[in-house]
Structures are given as C-alpha cells and as structure tokens.
C-alpha cells in the first residue's frame, strides 16, 4: 500500500511538473503576432511585419539563397532587404556607382546594382538623418538630388569632391575629403542616380587608382581605408557585404494626423495607438505607434496590447507590483515608506511611525496611571 502511494505521488508530481513546464513554455513562446494570419512572418533572417509585406519576394531559388533572402519584387534579386523595423525604418544593401579610367580617359560608367535606385513606387524615402552620400577616389565628385515623379521637380542637390593631393597623407577612418568625402543627402530623396565626375579623369594622380565610387551609406557602416582606392574587386565586395542604406517608411496619404483623423475610413492606426506626423521634403504622411505601456503591431487589428510589467521576476517593484492599463503601480507594506521601485528608494521601515506608536502607547499608559492616582487621592 505504501509503495502504491509512493508511485501515485511520483506520478502526480510528474504530471504537475510537466503541466507547469508546458504552460511556461507556451507563455514564453506566445509572441505577439506582427504579421497577418496566413502571411509568413519571416524570410530567412529577416522579420517581415505587416504592412511591410507588400511588393516583397522571399527568394528560395538557388543554393546561395540559403537561408532565403528578401527582395523588393519590383526589381528581383537587386533591392535586397536586410532589416525591417515596425517603427518605420528599413535597411537595404546599398547601391554602388563607379567610373573606370585608364590613361586619362573614361572607359566605363558602371553599377553594382540596379540604377536608378528608385523608391517612389514604395511609400519610402532615403533617410537624410541616418545616411551620408559617400565618394571614394582621388579625383572624383558626385551629387545626389531629391526628385520623384513628374509632378515634383528636382529641388535640392548635395555633393562632395574626393581628392588625393598626397597619397602619403591619406588617413584611414577619415572621410574629410582626402581620398573620401561624405555629405548629407537631401530631405525627401526617393531616387539615387548619382552624377559621378572627375575633373582630370585621374590623369594627375597615381595611375594605380583607376576607379571613382559613389554610394549612400548608413552612418557607421562604412570606414575608409586607403586600400579601397587600389583594389576594385575587394572594395565592391566590402560595400556589398557590409554597407547598408536606411529608408523611412510612412503612410503616404498627403495628409497630416489632424486631417486624416477627421476621416476615419482611411485611418490605419489601430487601438491603443497614436498618430505621428511624417514630413520629408514634399511628402506628407504619418506613422502609427503603440501608446506607452503597450506593445504589438499598431497597424494590425486589434492593435497594441497592454504590457504586464509585473509579470516575471524582472518586474520593476521591490515589493508589491500592480499592473494597470498602460502602466504599473508599486506599493510598500504597512509601516514602510518609499516609492517601491527596485531602481528607486525601494521600501524601508518607517521608524517614525514605530516611535509615534510607542509614544502613544506609553502616553496612554502613563495617563491612565495618573488618572487612577488623582482619583484615589480625591477619594
């Protein structure tokens, strides 16, 4: 009988343990969906949240696409997407334009990717705050202009000139003009089709430098090295594998938040979100963002869900944590004071309350004794 009880006890403990582990694993793996039901949420190493799943092609066609790679389907295998943020930023492989010179003559004008690199079919612009127009060479200049379809004319042009007055003065890591230069790009730029020129067709400098390059680079993804001037194949591979360009995505309705909120039929932000105006050059639109204390996809119904800050051991309170919509509340036990935050004052014993209680008790006892003595005396 004892043996049977022991077996039943072990069996029940096993069932309870498995249930707890299964429940925990389910809760831990229960990620908030960012894609529409039935739509793939990833392509290889890239997460694809809604509404960024339009005009994209997840390529599985060749052995080199293992893992699969994500491209804009309008120009297959060219505009490769490396990262998508629900906050509206995309990182792509950067396009590279270059001129080839020999004996003071322009031999060819080539591209490592499709040109013009046009974002206008998509509701995106090149980020003027995250990117720099970069020119690498010894006698090369390039400019980029903000332009779009026929309804908008070119209204801004930025450019810079890279030179090599002395090859011994080239500074690795510096893009101040000697061998490499960088400038900001125009605000609202949707097309990259750089005008790459050379004043003397490389005839005044070391003949081993026969190429001039222009590309847009996210700040921090390209570091100049003097070797880049003399090894064309290695340089093209370096740009292709390591340099990225950032684009800004937005809801392109040519209306601000105040105006679009008056017509909810076209408003795409869901519950527990707020609207953020977006202005880039001549483009006007907006983005959606979860309210503080909420998470999820602000574009996908039913919207953002409340974050339970009190769940788990990482809750911010030192003692009692109470979750409330969009926030939380920390509280201390009785006869304790403080804000209850782990990173704040926490909860400490309130000695003043203890002293006041002792004083009150002593006072009451002493008063009772006095009353008895006075009463006895009067009697």
């Amino acid at each position: 009988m004892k043996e049977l009880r022991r077996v039943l006890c072990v069996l029940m403990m096993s069932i309870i343990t498995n249930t707890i582990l299964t429940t925990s694993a389910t809760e831990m793996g229960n990620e908030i969906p960012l894609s529409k039901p039935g739509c793939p949420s990833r392509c290889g190493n890239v997460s694809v949240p809604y509404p960024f799943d339009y005009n994209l092609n997840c390529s599985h066609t060749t052995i080199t696409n293992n893992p699969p790679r994500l491209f804009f389907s309008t120009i297959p295998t060219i505009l490769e997407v490396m990262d998508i943020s629900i906050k509206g930023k995309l990182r792509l492989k950067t396009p590279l334009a270059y001129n080839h010179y020999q004996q003071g003559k322009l031999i060819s004008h080539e591209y490592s990717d499709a040109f013009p690199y046009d974002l206008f079919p998509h509701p995106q612009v090149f980020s003027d705050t995250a990117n720099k127009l970069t020119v690498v060479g010894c006698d090369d200049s390039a400019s980029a202009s903000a332009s779009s379809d026929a309804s908008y004319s070119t209204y801004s042009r930025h450019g810079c000139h890279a030179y090599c007055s002395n090859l011994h003065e080239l500074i690795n890591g510096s893009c101040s003009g000697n061998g490499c230069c960088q400038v900001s790009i125009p605000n609202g730029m949707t097309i990259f089709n750089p005008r790459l020129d050379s004043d003397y067709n490389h005839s005044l400098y070391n003949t081993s430098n026969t190429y001039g390059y222009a590309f847009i680079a996210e700040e921090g993804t390209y570091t100049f090295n003097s070797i880049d001037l003399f090894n064309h194949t290695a340089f093209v591979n370096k740009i292709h594998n390591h340099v990225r360009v950032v684009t800004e995505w937005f809801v392109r309705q040519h209306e601000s938040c105040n105006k679009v909120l008056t017509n909810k039929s076209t408003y795409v932000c869901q519950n527990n979100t707020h609207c953020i105006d977006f202005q880039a050059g001549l483009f006007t639109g907006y983005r959606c963002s979860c309210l503080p204390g909420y998470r999820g996809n602000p574009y996908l119904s039913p919207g953002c869900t409340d974050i339970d800050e009190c769940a788990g051991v990482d809750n911010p309170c030192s003692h009692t944590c109470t979750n409330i919509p969009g926030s939380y509340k920390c509280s201390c036990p009785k006869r304790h004071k403080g804000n209850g935050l782990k990173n704040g004052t926490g909860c400490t014993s309130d000695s003043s309350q203890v002293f006041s209680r002792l004083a009150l008790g002593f006072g009451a006892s002493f008063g009772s004794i006095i009353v008895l003595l006075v009463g006895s005396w009067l009697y």
Side-chain angles (χ1 to χ4, degrees):
M1 189 65 179
K2 291 183 179 180
E3 182 65 22
L4 178 60
R5 288 179 179 175
R6 189 181 68 82
V7 172
L8 289 174
C9 183
V10 172
L11 180 60
M12 288 299 295
M13 288 298 296
S14 176
I15 293 174
I16 292 171
T17 303
N18 289 334
T19 302
I20 293 173
L21 291 175
T22 303
T23 303
S24 301
T26 302
E27 291 176 353
M28 291 176 63
N30 187 22
E31 298 180 357
I32 295 177
L34 297 180
S35 300
K36 273 191 171 183
C39 295
S41 61
R42 299 189 67 85
C43 176
N45 298 324
V46 182
S47 175
V48 187
Y50 175 84
F52 304 106
D53 52 2
Y54 64 97
N55 289 333
L56 295 176
N57 175 35
C58 188
S59 177
H60 304 77
T61 55
T62 65
I63 297 177
T64 57
N65 289 342
N66 186 20
R69 297 159 65 191
L70 188 65
F71 302 93
F72 279 116
S73 57
T74 50
I75 309 179
T77 71
I78 298 297
L79 304 182
E80 184 172 358
V81 182
M82 307 304 296
D83 179 68
I84 302 175
S85 169
I86 193 66
K87 295 182 179 180
K89 293 184 183 295
L90 286 82
R91 282 179 174 80
L92 315 173
K93 284 193 173 181
T94 190
L96 175 66
Y98 51 90
N99 286 347
H100 186 198
Y101 301 91
Q102 284 186 356
Q103 298 178 349
K105 295 181 180 180
L106 175 62
I107 302 300
S108 63
H109 179 63
E110 303 174 33
Y111 309 100
S112 67
D113 295 284
F115 274 79
Y117 201 73
D118 194 1
L119 293 174
F120 187 76
H122 315 280
Q124 298 178 55
V125 296
F126 290 101
S127 174
D128 63 307
T129 58
N131 300 312
K132 295 290 185 182
L133 171 65
T134 307
V135 178
V136 175
C138 279
D139 179 25
D140 300 279
S141 61
S143 59
S145 61
S147 60
S148 52
D149 66 350
S151 63
Y152 296 132
S153 59
T154 298
Y155 59 90
S156 179
R157 181 177 290 274
H158 294 193
C160 67
H161 184 212
Y163 57 90
C164 298
S165 57
N166 188 338
L167 294 179
H168 298 290
E169 296 179 356
L170 295 174
I171 302 175
N172 292 339
S174 173
C175 258
S176 57
N178 197 9
C180 174
C181 71
Q182 285 186 326
V183 293
S184 299
I185 64 173
N187 180 259
M189 179 173 147
T190 61
I191 187 170
F192 181 56
N193 190 13
R195 181 178 177 181
L196 183 59
D197 296 312
S198 176
D199 292 339
Y200 302 100
N201 292 338
H202 285 223
S203 61
L204 299 183
Y205 299 99
N206 192 318
T207 56
S208 60
N209 170 237
T210 59
Y211 286 90
Y213 308 92
F215 54 95
I216 301 177
E218 178 187 5
E219 286 193 84
T221 60
Y222 173 70
T223 302
F224 172 71
N225 192 301
S226 59
I227 299 175
D228 297 340
L229 298 170
F230 309 110
N231 191 330
H232 173 68
T233 301
F235 180 75
V236 171
N237 290 334
K238 175 181 178 179
I239 299 301
H240 184 74
N241 294 326
H242 301 290
V243 180
R244 303 291 178 255
V245 60
V246 178
T247 65
E248 302 269 2
W249 182 93
F250 60 102
V251 181
R252 189 162 63 191
Q253 292 188 347
H254 307 295
E255 294 180 339
S256 65
C257 289
N258 288 337
K259 185 172 289 187
V260 75
L261 282 170
T262 62
N263 182 8
K264 290 294 186 73
S265 63
T266 61
Y267 186 58
V268 300
C269 299
Q270 303 298 316
N271 295 328
N272 302 317
T273 65
H274 61 103
C275 182
I276 303 173
D277 283 321
F278 183 87
Q279 180 72 45
L282 298 177
F283 297 101
T284 301
Y286 65 93
R287 287 174 175 162
C288 306
S289 177
C290 291
L291 291 173
Y294 291 82
R295 63 179 177 178
N297 189 329
Y299 303 94
L300 190 62
S301 180
C304 301
T305 58
D306 176 53
I307 299 173
D308 186 357
E309 292 87 355
C310 298
V313 295
D314 295 328
N315 79 77
C317 302
S318 60
H319 285 72
T320 303
C321 181
T322 305
N323 184 62
I324 58 179
S327 187
Y328 60 93
K329 180 181 178 181
C330 297
S331 56
C332 294
K334 291 182 179 180
R335 294 186 290 278
H336 285 71
K337 63 180 180 178
N339 58 19
L341 292 170
K342 291 178 180 177
N343 294 329
T345 60
C347 295
T348 56
S349 178
D350 192 350
S351 57
S352 62
Q353 290 189 17
V354 175
F355 178 78
S356 63
R357 286 175 177 272
L358 289 174
L360 181 63
F362 178 78
S365 300
F366 184 75
S368 299
I369 294 172
I370 294 297
V371 170
L372 291 173
L373 290 176
V374 171
S376 176
W377 181 81
L378 289 175
Y379 177 79

